[in-house]
Structures are given as structure tokens and as C-alpha cells.
Amino acid sequence: MSEENATQATILHVDMDAFYASVAERDNPELKGKAVVIGMGARGVVSAANYEARKFGIHSAMPVGRARRLAPHAIFLPVDMARYQEVSEHVMEIFHSFTPWVEPISLDEAFLDVTGSQKLLGTGREIAVAIRKKVEEQEGITCSVGIAPSKFIAKLASNHCKPNGMLEITSDRILHFPASTSYSSDVGSGTKDCRSTRATRTSHD
């Protein structure tokens, strides 16, 4: 994926929300609304935790024993890597339906250069909306999307609007964005769609 002439580029960073836990919830709807932790064993570590579990201070790489003490009522599940890979492949196929320029970073996130797709599919924001809708409809999980002229800023934007949000940072706002702690209330080019999405979100990374 090229970042030449970055001021003209439109890059999306798409990141699944609490991917492992979200897949577990999608496969077992009874888990919805409950604290779900992926990781088991007396000496094991937490691979992922949904947002309900994170409310109790549980996070990735934490010893499972400590996580159980923080939230004894949480549901602890084993890692199912084959299942995560299967869902990831489906998600990447969705990305490729919008642009050939997909750069996977891990099972649950990727950069998409949609600069050349805009003539057919609309603005970067419109493409991001369509991607989020298609992922949720087809895979039953949510994602957060950062939109920017470069990969670095796009990733910052997606991290800023998690979970289940979308944030666009245009070239004229880049210098202000990293230092801003109240960006979620900005309007216009920096409108954070997670503002409205978060009010209705269900609950990951």
C-alpha cells in the first residue's frame, strides 16, 4: 500500500471490536451482556476480554488467576484460533470487495487504501460506513474505523473511537488531533460517529 502523496490518499484502519470475545458472543448469543474472558488455566493469561469484563480491570496478557479474582462471575472460555481465523478470512474478503489494497496487520485489523475506490464507491467516510454495515450484517460483529491521509493517523483515529465507532481526521486537522483530549465532541471534518454509535453499542479492543 503506497503512502506517496499522503495528503491526497484516503486510508482506513479497520479494527474489529474485542474480536475473540465478539466471535464467542456471536456464536453463543447467551453471552451477550455478560463479562467474557478468553483464556483459561491456572497459569494461563488473558488473550482477550470484552468490554463488560474490562469494566472490572481485566485486560489482555493479565494472568487468568488475577482476572478471576477481579471478576469471579465472568465467563472464561478457551482460545479457539481456528474459529477466529475463519471469521478473519470472511472479514478480509469483505475488505477486498471494497479495494484490492488491503494490508492485514493481524487477524482482526487491516489498513485499506481506498483512494482509487472513491470514484465508484463514494468518499472515504461513505466507504467506511458501508464496510462497518457489511461486517456487522454478514459476520455479526462490530468494528471501528479510522479514516485519514496516512496509516499512522488512521490507526490513531480508530483507537480513539473504539468501540464500534468511526472517526475521520482530515489533513488540516492532523496537527491538532494527537494532542486533543476532547476530540470526541468536535464537529465537521473530525466528527466522531462513535458519539452516536456509542450510545447504542453493545460492547472490544
Side-chain angles (χ1 to χ4, degrees), residues 1-79:
M1 182 183 304
S2 173
E3 285 197 1
E4 293 180 13
N5 194 16
T7 56
Q8 300 301 314
T10 301
I11 308 297
L12 310 185
H13 179 253
V14 187
D15 196 358
M16 301 300 108
D17 297 318
F19 183 55
Y20 292 3
S22 293
V23 171
E25 291 179 22
R26 162 244 170 106
D27 291 345
N28 183 359
E30 292 183 0
L31 297 176
K32 289 283 187 181
K34 299 177 181 178
V36 177
V37 179
I38 307 299
M40 297 181 70
R43 298 184 179 180
V45 296
V46 173
S47 293
N50 70 357
Y51 289 103
E52 291 298 322
R54 294 181 193 191
K55 292 177 182 178
F56 299 93
I58 298 174
H59 56 77
S60 298
M62 172 183 286
V64 169
R66 184 182 175 197
R68 286 188 182 278
R69 289 192 295 273
L70 289 172
H73 64 287
I75 298 171
F76 289 78
L77 300 172
V79 173

Side-chain angles (χ1 to χ4, degrees), residues 124-154:
R125 176 178 289 273
E126 290 169 335
I127 293 172
V129 168
I131 288 173
R132 295 179 68 232
K133 184 174 185 288
K134 196 169 184 179
V135 167
E136 186 163 13
E137 288 180 347
Q138 293 189 10
E139 298 306 317
I141 57 179
T142 63
C143 60
S144 298
V145 183
I147 311 159
S150 71
K151 292 190 287 187
F152 177 71
I153 300 299

Side-chain angles (χ1 to χ4, degrees), residues 10-16 95 103 105-106 108-113 128 143-148 150-159 161-162 165-167 205:
T10 301
I11 308 297
L12 310 185
H13 179 253
V14 187
D15 196 358
M16 301 300 108
F95 295 166
E103 182 182 330
I105 306 302
S106 63
D108 63 342
E109 63 177 313
F111 289 110
L112 284 67
D113 188 335
C143 60
S144 298
V145 183
I147 311 159
S150 71
K151 292 190 287 187
F152 177 71
I153 300 299
K155 185 169 176 61
L156 285 180
S158 68
N159 288 341
C161 72
K162 275 189 158 295
M166 183 177 73
L167 176 60
D205 276 0

